[in-house]
Amino acid sequence: MSIINNSIQKAVALLNQDEVIAIPTETVYGLAGNIFSPKAIASIFSIKERPSFNPLIVHIKSIESLPSIAREIPEKAMLLANAFWPGPLTMVLKKQPQIPDSVTAGKDTVAVRVPNHKVTLSLLEQLDFPLAAPSANPFGSISPTQAVHVAHYFENKLPMILDGGSCERGIESTIIGFDDGEPILYRLGSLAIEDLEAIIGPLKTIVHDEKAPPAPGMLSRHYAPNTTTYLTDTISADVAKFANQRVGVLAFKQEVQNTSICAQEVLSVSGSLLEAASGLYAALHRLDEKNLDVILAERFPDSGLGKAINDRLQRATKK
Ligand code: TXA
Ligand code: MG
């Protein structure tokens, strides 16, 4: 059997044996293991080549499991959990003592969410433990939104990739922390700020030190293709500047007309930010495989999911 398959039963068996497998979520694929298995947690860090100071997100099957993971849950956290779980919202809360330090990188807090994917919800239902899962990509590179992306990165390192199709949302979860019960944005993601603010009012954005970000997903270079990438407000003019090179274009809704372009991806002809977000990483994966000299990405409107798309594109450009 191929390592890519859709047997939930096999996934359950492997996870019960302390193995690490890839699982689908509505945001991106994750590298999942039993939070209570030191062996599985150590494997996640080593497969991903992730620094041990970078904590993992705990995935639970429903809001009812939250009190077993987190303590002193603020009122606004409950409002958000009720509004958006299952869904692409991760909350950083004070951890229960039984949550292993290896999962939280020694922090007193734990990141937790209920993923909205029927395959993984059914998997979680059949397990006696939550799953720790970072995105299933080597540290710093583009997150996978299809089982084949995971295979491309980790074919020989995983016993199984549980196939759940293409991830519907396509960008990682939005991460919120709390300070004295008040929410703070740690990472932009698939849940728009406007939607969060509609439930709990204005969100603070953390002002962080680049060398010690609150969530290491906020490191300035992250989610990056191998190909040099630029984010631009003037894409047509910039394409002309690279006339003698192999140029790839990542556009929002309209093709850039220039015969010197080698490869072009248009994310949503109808101008839907949801559609653009869902196809963003797959388009970057395809462009990155074309042996281009440069990828020029068009800047998105700075509202709704456009903010998260710009955030990821910005990080993809850093060297
Ligand atoms: O959509 C997602 O969130 C995906 C899917 C698989 O659920 N997961 C994901 O995990 O993006 P990862 O590990 O690639 O990113 C999680 C981020 C990291 O930047 C990590 O530093 C931060 O969450 N994080 C985890 N626990 C934390 C904590 N206790 N305090 C602050 N940040 C934390
Ligand atoms: Mg990640």
Side-chain angles (χ1 to χ4, degrees), residues 27-28 30 50 54-57 59 92 107 109-111 113 133-135 172-173 175 186-187 214-217:
T27 58
V28 301
R50 180 174 182 130
N54 193 346
L56 307 176
I57 297 177
H59 296 70
V92 175
K107 288 178 184 281
T109 53
V110 60
R113 81 179 189 102
S135 53
E172 298 80 357
S173 60
I175 306 183
Y186 280 4
R187 177 176 78 179

Side-chain angles (χ1 to χ4, degrees), residues 4-304:
I4 300 180
N5 67 77
N6 56 14
S7 169
I8 295 176
Q9 206 187 347
K10 179 152 187 237
V12 169
L14 287 165
L15 290 164
N16 277 324
Q17 290 157 21
D18 300 314
E19 296 285 346
V20 170
I21 65 165
I23 57 163
T25 81
E26 81 281 34
T27 58
V28 301
Y29 276 74
L31 273 185
N34 175 357
I35 66 163
F36 299 116
S37 161
K39 178 179 169 228
I41 300 305
S43 304
I44 291 175
F45 281 96
S46 85
I47 293 170
K48 200 176 153 76
E49 294 171 36
R50 180 174 182 130
S52 58
F53 59 77
N54 193 346
L56 307 176
I57 297 177
V58 172
H59 296 70
I60 55 176
K61 63 182 171 208
S62 72
I63 198 168
E64 281 73 44
S65 309
L66 183 60
S68 66
I69 307 292
R71 63 193 164 86
E72 297 174 32
I73 302 166
E75 202 183 314
K76 287 187 178 173
M78 283 317 292
L79 285 173
L80 290 175
N82 281 312
F84 298 113
W85 282 354
L89 171 70
T90 294
M91 291 195 285
V92 175
L93 300 166
K94 289 205 176 130
K95 81 176 189 82
Q96 289 289 12
Q98 66 268 26
I99 307 301
D101 283 343
S102 54
V103 172
T104 63
K107 288 178 184 281
D108 183 38
T109 53
V110 60
V112 57
R113 81 179 189 102
V114 182
N116 189 14
H117 192 293
K118 65 176 191 316
V119 170
T120 289
L121 284 173
S122 158
L123 173 66
L124 285 165
E125 273 301 326
Q126 294 174 55
L127 295 169
D128 295 330
F129 45 81
L131 291 173
S135 53
N137 51 285
F139 184 64
S141 51
I142 311 167
S143 298
T145 55
Q146 296 170 11
V148 289
H149 297 156
V150 184
H152 175 78
Y153 287 138
F154 298 126
E155 190 146 42
N156 302 319
K157 292 189 171 174
L158 294 174
M160 176 174 178
I161 299 169
L162 178 59
D163 195 356
S166 286
C167 301
E168 212 182 334
R169 306 298 288 255
I171 290 185
E172 298 80 357
S173 60
T174 301
I175 306 183
I176 301 292
F178 291 87
D179 179 16
D180 231 353
E182 287 308 310
I184 305 170
L185 176 68
Y186 280 4
R187 177 176 78 179
L188 286 161
S190 274
L191 187 62
I193 301 307
E194 292 86 341
D195 293 343
L196 286 164
E197 290 188 331
I199 307 286
I200 45 158
L203 261 182
K204 277 194 284 180
T205 300
I206 203 149
V207 182
H208 68 268
D209 173 355
E210 179 56 42
K211 292 198 190 76
M218 299 181 82
L219 287 171
S220 64
R221 178 176 161 82
H222 216 93
Y223 317 106
N226 292 318
T227 314
T228 303
T229 302
Y230 296 103
L231 178 59
T232 168
D233 293 304
T234 50
I235 194 147
S236 298
D238 284 359
V239 166
K241 289 184 200 155
F242 291 91
N244 297 320
Q245 297 187 50
R246 288 177 55 79
V247 179
V249 163
L250 182 66
F252 178 19
K253 43 189 171 183
Q254 218 176 356
E255 246 184 44
V256 176
Q257 300 298 332
N258 189 317
T259 50
S260 74
I261 295 169
C262 293
Q264 178 148 211
E265 296 279 346
V266 177
L267 291 173
S268 174
V269 174
S270 67
S272 152
L273 290 170
L274 200 62
E275 185 183 25
S278 106
L280 175 69
Y281 290 156
L284 277 173
H285 280 285
R286 285 192 296 272
L287 288 171
D288 207 20
E289 279 162 15
K290 295 238 159 74
N291 204 16
L292 300 164
D293 295 318
V294 63
I295 297 171
L296 297 177
E298 181 176 25
R299 191 184 304 279
F300 276 66
D302 189 38
S303 63

